[in-house]
Amino acid sequence: MHHRAPAPSRRTLLTVTAAAAAAAVTGMSTPALAGQDRHDDRKLRRIIDRMSLEEKVGQLFVMRVYGHSATAPDQADIDANLAEIGVRTAAELVERYHVGGVIYFSWAHNTRDPQQIAALSNGIQQAALAQPTPVPALISTDQEHGIVCRVGEPATLVPGAMALGAGGSHADARRAAQIAGAELAAVGIRQNYAPVADVNVNPANPVIGVRSFGSDPAAVAGMVAAQVKGYQRAGVAATSKHFPGHGDTAVDSHYGLPTITHTRAQWSTLDAPPFRSAIAAGIDSIMTAHIVVPALDASEDPATLSRPILTGILREELGYDGVVVTDSLGMEGVRTKYGDERVPVLALKAGVDQLLNPPKLDVAWNAVLKAVSDGELTEARLDESILRILRLKSKLGLFRNAYVTRAGVERVVGTAAHLAQADRIAEATTTLLLNEGGFLPLSPARQRSVLVVGADPASPSGTTGPPTTTLATALTDLGFSAAALSTGITPTAAKIEEAVAAAAGKDVVVVGTYNVTATSPQRTLVARLVATGVPVVTIAIRNPYDIARIDGQRATLAAYSWTDVELRAAVRVLAGKARPRGRLPVPVQSADDPAKVLYPVGHGLSYR
């Protein structure tokens, strides 16, 4: 008979063991996990032995849930939970399905502000520890930084992968991850689905792009190892993704099933090095890709469901024995070949440990339960994965103390020191691709009046931007007179005319470009502005490949993301307050002739 302990109050949860939590979340010294539970496998196996089969199945799932609170979300979030999961709250999700983990999303209203996130995490842990077999939850998110970011300001936002690749500093990459990891740990998020280990060798890749450190496998491998060490030093499990490598796809696996045509030798040379590097660095978890690689598995099953790839290559060849987590099971790439009730079973048979975010939890959960009762999966197979998950929870110190504190959040998240370091790191990433006649840097004395136009994509975290305003404000702060006009990703003819009219009398026009294609009206916008005779400077606020499709500008910078930290850094470079130091981590090829490289890896201009 299991008796539930009295539930501690919310106030107690947010003030419990402040000193211990501070040590866990600051994590800035090398032995960040020195105080971890040192549960040996015998102790962990005893916990597993106490679990019911239902609890075991639940432990394998990491699930989304709507709401800012574990017990009292907004009514709209209760309604969404009832419709999608059949529970009202995060606490009910844990109680009914015994899930081993929860994934946070900004669109699920999990990440309003740091103190709220901490309270949500504590509420989820309270529910997890009230289970018949109390096991702390492993709370995760996709906090890659750059263009994929779930926790926004006032938390510190650091440069994303390709920006760090342009900076070229392993120390900066490690420090960025350490800052990011410490702030995640402070709010109770202890597994981060980063760093991306994909090598972006295909400029047309619709899903990876600047989420990758670059196109050179050795360079990416070094950056991945540095970030793994940074996150894990901060007490957060890093997750390299997407195994066996998503860098050479022209299909987004959220919406279809990509096929990678690399030979086994090409895979070994191009895709494998960053994963080998992550494993050598002691990576805690690796995420699978919903991609087909015929050279690695002739059955053409997606890698997430492929035993030859996950067990044969990842486990046996590469020697990895950490946690393997699927990419989201709601993505189309994993759902095209098999039904939702088969996917989780096949993933476990392939060698997966954590089943992430199935579209219908009841379908997936019951399918695994049935597979065990039917003998397709053994309970011993479940125990093998649960042991890996519990080892990780133990390593992270969650059995010792699953809660975080208000004081820890205040002390760690968005500190002046972290923000200053993020600005410093970002400053080293901005890449000057073109500077005709030494037009840059700008000077308020010579080019005081500036018009900023361009794309204003939604903030990755929901807390920064819009980019045109951010750029104009940063220029104004440096003594320029700058006005912002949002023209959008697909500017209309009317909006282009408005921009041309606004450029009259200006000393310079700055255009933020965003993934310019052959047919993009952004090309028309730039051409019309150039035709006014006012000098035009472009800033690629996402992929650096934009420069291959734009002509006539006096200078071009690559910022690699439209988050404020990277845009402010670009402005400091634009104004000569910082010198450009970034170097392209990918080649920029001619739009008309991909065999012709316009700007090679390593290209980056400096000021004299």
Side-chain angles (χ1 to χ4, degrees), residues 417-495:
H418 283 181
L419 294 170
Q421 288 177 73
D423 280 335
R424 177 191 64 76
I425 293 167
E427 212 166 76
T429 69
T430 305
T431 307
L432 179 60
L433 299 178
L434 174 72
N435 193 20
E436 294 286 358
F439 183 71
L440 297 181
L442 301 178
S443 160
R446 294 190 308 274
Q447 297 113 343
R448 178 168 175 75
S449 181
V450 183
L451 173 66
V452 180
V453 303
D456 275 335
S459 166
S461 63
T463 62
T464 64
T468 53
T469 302
T470 299
L471 290 166
T473 300
L475 283 162
T476 299
D477 290 346
L478 293 179
F480 296 86
S481 174
L485 172 62
S486 177
T487 49
I489 294 171
T490 53
T492 62
K495 189 59 75 172

Side-chain angles (χ1 to χ4, degrees), residues 111 114 117 143 149-157 413 461-464:
T111 56
I117 300 169
Q143 189 80 348
C149 219
R150 312 302 189 204
V151 179
E153 294 180 347
T156 305
L157 298 178
V413 178
S461 63
T463 62
T464 64

Side-chain angles (χ1 to χ4, degrees), residues 188-222:
I189 299 171
R190 302 299 295 277
Q191 183 179 26
N192 189 21
Y193 299 135
V196 170
D198 303 316
V199 181
N200 201 69
V201 295
N202 184 350
N205 193 321
V207 65
I208 304 301
V210 293
R211 297 168 63 195
S212 163
F213 290 103
S215 63
D216 178 72
V220 173

